């Protein structure tokens, strides 16, 4: 009788003791919650477009201000996008100078009779008519084929930087530190972006006014 009473008291006391299994379960749940919170993406606003999320794939590239409103960097290699941006920027820097120079009177003499009195706007149709544009298309197509080989190798991990053709005839990067090289890359990119906008504006204004530079 006494032993039965003692056993019932022990069982009653055990019912109020904390469960070790419950502690382990609580700890596992707590660790999982911490890991889940750490893995959750943190929202970061774009510098250029604060109302949009920052495109994470742009990180580490020169000139990065988080500008990619159509999120091309989510599905196109950023090296390919940077190659295209640099190419168009370089073309427009040359185009701005050439377009303005022609309308300011610069000519390569002797000027063929068919090109007399042409402006930058009217020159296009005249060059097409005389076949010069066909030659330009041929040589630029050849240059595109050669550059495509370099881009393909870059995308396959050759180590080449986007836009790098080893062209530095004036030696701006000779002996430059990594910081100075990054600064020069940023300057080229910034001026290229400005030139793309400027050339679009120049051509539009030149067509609308049909006047000489500065197309007012």
């Amino acid at each position: 009788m006494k032993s039965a009473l003692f056993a019932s008291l022990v069982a009653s006391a055990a019912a109020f003791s904390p469960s070790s299994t419950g502690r382990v379960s609580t700890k596992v749940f707590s660790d999982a919650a911490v890991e889940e919170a750490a893995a959750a993406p943190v929202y970061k606003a774009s510098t250029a477009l604060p109302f949009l999320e920052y495109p994470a794939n742009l990180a580490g590239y020169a000139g990065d201000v988080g500008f990619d409103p159509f999120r091309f960097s989510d599905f196109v290699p950023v090296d390919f996008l940077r190659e295209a941006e640099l190419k168009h920027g370089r073309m427009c820097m040359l185009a701005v100078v050439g377009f303005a120079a022609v309308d300011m009177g610069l000519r390569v003499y002797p000027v063929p009779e068919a090109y007399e009195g042409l402006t930058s706007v009217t020159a296009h149709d005249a060059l097409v008519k005389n076949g010069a544009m066909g030659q330009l298309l041929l040589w630029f197509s050849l240059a595109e084929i050669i550059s495509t080989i370099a881009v393909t190798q870059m995308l396959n991990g050759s180590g080449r930087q986007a836009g790098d053709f080893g062209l530095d005839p004036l030696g701006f990067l000779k002996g430059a530190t990594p910081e100075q090289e990054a600064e020069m890359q940023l300057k080229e990119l910034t001026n290229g972006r400005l030139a793309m906008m400027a050339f679009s504006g120049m051509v539009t204004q030149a067509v609308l006014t049909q006047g000489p530079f500065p197309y007012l």
Side-chain angles (χ1 to χ4, degrees):
M1 182 67 179
K2 289 182 178 180
S3 60
L5 180 61
F6 178 75
S8 65
L9 290 173
V10 171
S12 301
F16 290 97
S17 65
S19 171
S20 59
T21 304
R23 286 186 177 180
V24 173
S25 177
T26 304
K27 185 177 186 303
V28 171
F29 176 77
S30 177
D31 291 345
V34 171
E35 291 177 2
E36 184 178 352
V42 179
Y43 181 85
K44 180 181 178 182
S46 165
T47 304
L49 304 170
F51 52 87
L52 294 179
E53 186 178 3
Y54 172 76
N57 291 336
L58 298 183
Y61 284 85
D64 171 31
V65 290
F67 185 82
D68 185 15
F70 297 108
R71 305 292 299 199
F72 288 121
S73 60
D74 287 348
F75 54 88
V76 180
V78 180
D79 283 339
F80 179 84
L81 296 173
R82 177 49 53 87
E83 183 87 21
E85 182 179 24
L86 284 170
K87 180 185 293 184
H88 287 83
R90 291 165 178 171
M91 290 171 60
C92 284
M93 283 189 281
L94 293 171
V96 165
V97 176
F99 199 90
V102 168
D103 285 343
M104 293 174 69
L106 180 64
R107 297 290 187 274
V108 177
Y109 294 95
V111 178
E113 184 178 349
Y115 299 164
E116 286 287 351
L118 294 179
T119 66
S120 294
V121 173
T122 59
H124 177 273
D125 291 347
L127 293 177
V128 170
K129 182 178 179 180
N130 287 277
M133 280 295 186
Q135 296 184 36
L136 290 174
L137 177 62
L138 172 64
W139 292 111
F140 284 135
S141 297
L142 180 61
E144 282 293 313
I145 293 172
I146 295 173
S147 66
T148 299
I149 297 173
V151 173
T152 302
Q153 292 175 343
M154 174 188 67
L155 296 178
N156 288 328
S158 67
R160 169 185 176 271
Q161 288 189 353
D164 182 12
F165 290 95
L167 182 64
D168 185 19
L170 299 180
F172 287 120
L173 297 180
K174 186 177 181 179
T177 64
E179 292 77 14
Q180 292 172 331
E181 186 173 344
E183 183 181 3
M184 293 297 292
Q185 291 175 349
L186 180 60
K187 287 179 178 179
E188 180 186 28
L189 192 62
T190 304
N191 284 278
R193 289 170 175 172
L194 176 61
M196 285 188 279
M197 300 296 293
F199 186 65
S200 300
M202 286 177 66
V203 173
T204 302
Q205 192 72 2
V207 171
L208 292 176
T209 63
Q210 294 295 315
F213 183 83
Y215 318 115
L216 299 176

